[in-house]
Amino acid sequence: MNRIKAGVPRRAGRRVLAIGLPTVWGAIAITYKMACPLAQQNGFGARIVTSAVFFAVGTGLIVHVRQALLRELRQVRRVAGAAQSVLLRPLPPRIDGLHVSAAQLSAERGAVIGGDLYEVIATEHGVRAVMGDVRGHGLAAIGTVAAVLGSFREAVHDEPDLGGVLRRLERALARHLRERARAAPDSPVAEEFITVLLLEIGPDGEMHALNCGHPWPYRLTGTHVEPLTHADPLPPLGPFPLPPDLPAVPCGQLKPEEALLLYTDGAEDARDAHGRFFPLPIVLTEALSDGVNTPQPLLGTVFTQLLRHTAGRLTDDVALLVLRNERTQVHYNAPIGARGTARATTHNPQPTNHPQRNGV
């Protein structure tokens, strides 16, 4: 039995219209010029009519081309939106007692995806998050984002420590770059790199992180904003191999009602017309002082101030991720777990009036 895809006749019809309408308009103009007696006259009135006919033909062609381009643009945006929903899938508003919200802005006008990546997943090892920034833009960057995120989503469940997760990401990136080099020998894959921040938040709020060239998150406590840690990061993934030992950096405890803001460097590197950098810590402090401390409104405030600072002209992609601890109680129960730490159970309040979708 032969199967015919439903979209084929529709696409064929569009091709016929794309070719047929300009042909019809051209045939009308030629027929008028060759067959209409009025077009053969040289009087002033005849010239006005002839000009009007050709003006109408030209206008029709322009309108047709414009509509065809708009249809193509809408199709490209639908495809890009579908790609974004797979790569940067919307995060649930709550993950294991953490209130979560994330969003990103692309520096390219009309684009919906770029070289930034983020993900948050609850595992038996704790809530694990990644924030990354791929060098460059376009399809090559999107392919790298897909490779790294795919590896992260599997590794966080398999690897008992963050060092194992990071090595899995390094191997996935290396495989992706080798495949790109084989497919396009002239592509400068040797210059490709990605900054990555891995974060783990245990049931008791204890945090550990591994950082490869990425900005450290900000801890938001009341109206106070400070970097999560001042430890030196590792080099970005790609140009240099990871060291043999990868101990995670202890970052203290995320207490109830405290939050973290993870971001890509496009936020703090954004400049205004006078070359001044975007004051992200100041904007966060002012927002917290005004009572804006829940994730989604906080993201909206930061993005609004960022666009105002740059007059809407971003030069780099920006991604933001807020994790707020809304666990109210922590109970420690014996016996000791297999990883050598007391097992903790948390009481998480039921969400009320939380946003139904992620983003700004």
Side-chain angles (χ1 to χ4, degrees), residues 6-170:
V8 172
R10 182 177 298 178
R11 288 195 295 269
R14 288 177 178 175
R15 292 194 189 100
V16 171
L17 288 176
I19 299 173
L21 286 179
T23 303
V24 170
W25 282 109
I28 291 174
I30 294 174
T31 301
Y32 171 79
K33 184 63 178 177
M34 301 296 296
C36 183
L38 187 61
Q40 310 301 323
Q41 299 179 12
N42 294 324
F44 181 72
R47 291 180 179 178
I48 292 178
V49 174
T50 301
S51 299
V53 171
F54 280 93
F55 177 79
V57 171
T59 301
L61 288 174
I62 292 173
V63 170
H64 170 72
V65 171
R66 181 178 181 273
Q67 290 177 342
L69 292 176
L70 288 176
R71 284 195 299 269
E72 191 71 19
L73 178 60
R74 285 193 292 267
Q75 178 65 19
V76 169
R77 286 182 172 176
R78 282 195 292 268
V79 172
Q84 183 187 40
S85 66
V86 174
L87 292 181
L88 296 182
R89 56 193 182 191
L91 300 177
R94 295 180 189 271
I95 299 177
D96 194 18
L98 301 179
H99 193 173
V100 180
S101 187
Q104 66 117 22
L105 284 177
S106 175
E108 297 185 13
R109 185 179 298 272
V112 294
I113 50 179
D116 294 344
L117 62 95
Y118 54 79
E119 181 63 285
V120 183
I121 299 176
T123 73
E124 62 177 309
H125 314 293
V127 175
R128 289 176 167 178
V130 63
M131 175 69 77
D133 187 357
V134 177
R135 176 185 178 272
H137 305 279
L139 293 178
I142 295 172
T144 304
V145 169
V148 172
L149 276 181
S151 177
F152 173 81
R153 287 165 178 163
E154 292 185 0
V156 290
H157 294 288
D158 300 336
E159 300 295 336
D161 57 74
L162 289 182
V165 176
L166 187 58
R167 293 193 188 281
R168 292 271 292 270
L169 299 190
E170 182 188 41

Side-chain angles (χ1 to χ4, degrees), residues 88-93 100-103 118 296 299 320-321 355-360:
L88 296 182
R89 56 193 182 191
L91 300 177
V100 180
S101 187
Y118 54 79
Q296 195 161 2
L299 288 187
L320 302 177
L321 169 64
Q356 293 301 311
R357 68 181 184 88
N358 204 50
V360 178

